[in-house]
Amino acid sequence: ASHQQNSNYTMSQSSGFVRRNQRNVVTCLHIMKCISPPTRIITLVIPLICYFSLISTVHSYTTIMSSSSSSNEERPSKLYPSFVEKLPSLQGKTIVVTGASRGLGYVTAMTCAKKGAQVIMLNRPSERADRALAAIQQASSSSSSAIPDPLSIDCDLLDFSNVRKAIQEVKDVVKDNGIDVLCCNAGIMLQEDVASCDGYDITISTNVLSHFLLTKEFLPQLQMAAALRGEARVVHMSSGSGFGPPSLNPAHFTQRGGSLGGKEASYDRYHQSKLANFIITACLDEKFRASSHNQNIKAVACTPGVCGTDLFLHATTVMKGRPSPRNSVPSTEDGSLAQLKCIADANIQSGDIWGPKLGIGGLPTKMELSPPTVLVDEDSKKILWRLCEDAVGEFNLEKKGNQKEATV
């Protein structure tokens, strides 16, 4: 009875989600009246395909939610072992990963260390961060004695001054060797409507603004690595929640934390943050390509799909009152594939988005960083870039770092 009750509750919540998105389709139909018939056919097909895909995804997701299993153990990884085995060595590279004390960030940091990279983790101080560091140090030392020890540097993404302190510590460590990959992994979702100490919404500060600050300040180190070893990368972990409408709402990126819709708007704030990850990636790609000394820096984004992280447990608890079992969805390792591909795959192109095709399980596939998948345009890029600069300072991409010549 309790499982049936839970299933009915979940279906009710999901049905509400579908009904809200039906309004988007109706709006599209009204717009069609103003468009010429040939264009109307083309323009109508895409939203309808997206809508019916949404219904299918919600149906699959509610089936997952109503699973009768109560295990807190993750299901065995199906794709991760063979996928990682095929990734190239990361020997000699320095990779900075935010939010690496658990979940996707931990798997990413651990994998990069095993592949030979020097890994620098930016975590909030905690016993969990200490345990993560110890485990990754052990794995790194057993892989090769030549790999520099992994490090964990305290970094609170809700405090810009603390982020700046962490940035200086990283610079002191890497010196003139540079940073090959900045992996902007850390993220929170479905949080209270609360302001950070800088006055911004905590979801926006964590997921967007502090990562913009890190990217801005690490540009010289990215330039160094690109000059020394041929390229560098900025990888943003976004989410399928960033796809589609609504479009960018500038109010979310101002000092209005605590007055952005309350608890009921927690998903809206999360969507805005994940959409912003995509838009910032588009901005960086465009600006890197246009700058003569940044053309070897790639900006890419990824989505993990639904997987058995603590974030999954938190989200399902918020949605239905108790956590769904981890083993009802793919493992965290299998959810990390797109991020690992963006970090290590030699064929990745700047401006790419990679993630599981259906949003839950499967090998990463390439998606377009453009409408209707991602609602990005020239206005949204200009507006978001300006708002991020207002928050953390001007991002001067013409500033050239102290570069060395690349060696072959």
Side-chain angles (χ1 to χ4, degrees):
S2 63
H3 291 311
Q4 183 61 46
Q5 214 172 30
N6 173 55
S7 177
N8 290 340
Y9 175 87
T10 305
M11 285 300 296
S12 172
Q13 297 299 306
S14 302
S15 297
F17 178 66
V18 170
R19 284 196 299 273
R20 289 192 295 274
N21 280 275
Q22 282 175 335
R23 290 196 290 270
N24 294 329
V25 175
V26 171
T27 301
C28 289
L29 292 173
H30 285 300
I31 293 171
M32 292 304 119
K33 295 177 182 178
C34 305
I35 301 175
S36 62
T39 308
R40 188 182 305 167
I41 294 171
I42 296 170
T43 311
L44 181 61
V45 167
I46 293 174
L48 287 178
I49 291 173
C50 292
Y51 175 62
F52 288 114
S53 296
L54 169 69
I55 293 176
S56 175
T57 301
V58 168
H59 180 267
S60 300
Y61 193 61
T62 54
T63 302
I64 289 170
M65 294 302 181
S66 60
S67 168
S68 60
S69 172
S70 60
S71 172
N72 195 40
E73 295 181 2
E74 293 194 38
R75 77 168 58 159
S77 299
K78 294 182 178 180
L79 303 171
Y80 174 84
S82 60
F83 182 88
V84 168
E85 186 178 355
K86 296 174 184 176
L87 290 177
S89 169
L90 296 173
Q91 187 83 36
K93 294 191 175 185
T94 298
I95 297 176
V96 176
V97 185
T98 64
S101 64
R102 59 178 171 174
L104 295 163
Y106 173 77
V107 172
T108 298
M110 174 68 81
T111 306
C112 290
K114 288 180 177 179
K115 282 287 180 178
Q118 179 186 23
V119 173
I120 301 175
M121 298 177 287
L122 300 183
N123 296 318
R124 285 183 296 179
S126 66
E127 291 184 4
R128 184 175 60 237
D130 294 339
R131 291 193 299 270
L133 175 61
I136 293 172
Q137 283 178 333
Q138 183 177 4
S140 176
S141 62
S142 58
S143 297
S144 171
S145 59
I147 301 172
D149 285 339
L151 300 172
S152 183
I153 291 175
D154 293 348
C155 183
D156 184 353
L157 300 177
L158 293 177
D159 182 347
F160 296 153
S161 64
N162 187 266
V163 175
R164 289 188 172 92
K165 181 175 180 291
I167 287 167
Q168 188 56 55
E169 290 186 46
V170 173
K171 289 181 177 181
D172 291 342
V173 170
V174 302
K175 296 183 171 60
D176 59 359
N177 192 49
I179 295 171
D180 295 88
V181 181
L182 171 60
C183 181
C184 301
N185 165 83
I188 57 176
M189 73 179 296
L190 302 183
Q191 297 293 316
E192 297 292 329
D193 187 0
V194 177
S196 71
C197 63
D198 301 290
Y200 295 90
D201 173 68
I202 58 173
T203 300
I204 298 297
S205 179
T206 300
N207 297 3
V208 183
L209 298 177
S210 286
H211 285 129
F212 186 88
L213 174 57
L214 288 166
T215 307
K216 176 175 84 79
E217 293 299 323
F218 283 147
L219 179 62
Q221 284 66 41
L222 292 163
Q223 291 172 339
M224 291 177 198
L228 284 166
R229 292 175 287 278
E231 70 163 56
R233 301 182 185 190
V234 179
V235 178
H236 274 95
M237 171 60 79
S238 186
S239 165
S241 297
F243 292 147
S247 57
L248 185 75
N249 183 348
H252 286 75
F253 302 89
T254 60
Q255 289 174 302
R256 293 179 56 186
S259 59
L260 288 169
K263 185 177 181 180
E264 291 184 355
S266 64
Y267 183 82
D268 292 337
R269 295 190 294 276
Y270 181 64
H271 165 78
Q272 287 293 318
S273 75
K274 296 290 100 178
L275 171 60
N277 292 153
F278 289 133
I279 296 175
I280 291 296
T281 298
C283 288
L284 289 171
D285 171 53
E286 184 178 276
K287 292 175 184 293
F288 288 157
R289 290 177 187 272
S291 174
S292 59
H293 48 270
N294 291 317
Q295 290 180 350
N296 288 338
I297 305 177
K298 297 177 180 179
V300 292
C302 57
T303 68
V306 181
C307 56
T309 62
D310 288 350
L311 208 62
F312 168 74
L313 299 183
H314 168 72
T316 53
T317 300
V318 172
M319 289 171 64
K320 65 189 193 70
R322 64 181 180 86
S324 291
R326 290 183 194 267
N327 63 9
S328 63
V329 294
S331 70
T332 303
E333 288 183 337
D334 282 351
S336 73
L337 303 189
Q339 183 153 263
L340 291 170
K341 185 178 184 71
C342 288
I343 289 171
D345 192 313
N347 297 317
I348 289 291
Q349 298 299 310
S350 187
D352 283 355
I353 301 176
W354 288 85
K357 187 174 183 179
L358 298 178
I360 178 167
L363 291 169
T365 59
K366 181 181 173 182
M367 294 169 276
E368 295 301 318
L369 210 172
S370 60
T373 306
V374 179
L375 298 187
V376 55
D377 57 24
E378 291 305 314
D379 285 344
S380 64
K381 286 189 285 188
K382 290 176 182 177
I383 290 169
L384 181 59
W385 192 268
R386 176 180 55 79
L387 290 168
C388 289
E389 287 191 321
D390 288 346
V392 301
E394 182 184 1
F395 191 164
N396 182 6
L397 277 85
E398 296 308 313
K399 183 178 179 181
K400 192 172 181 180
N402 180 24
Q403 299 179 357
K404 293 182 177 181
E405 292 300 319
T407 57
V408 179

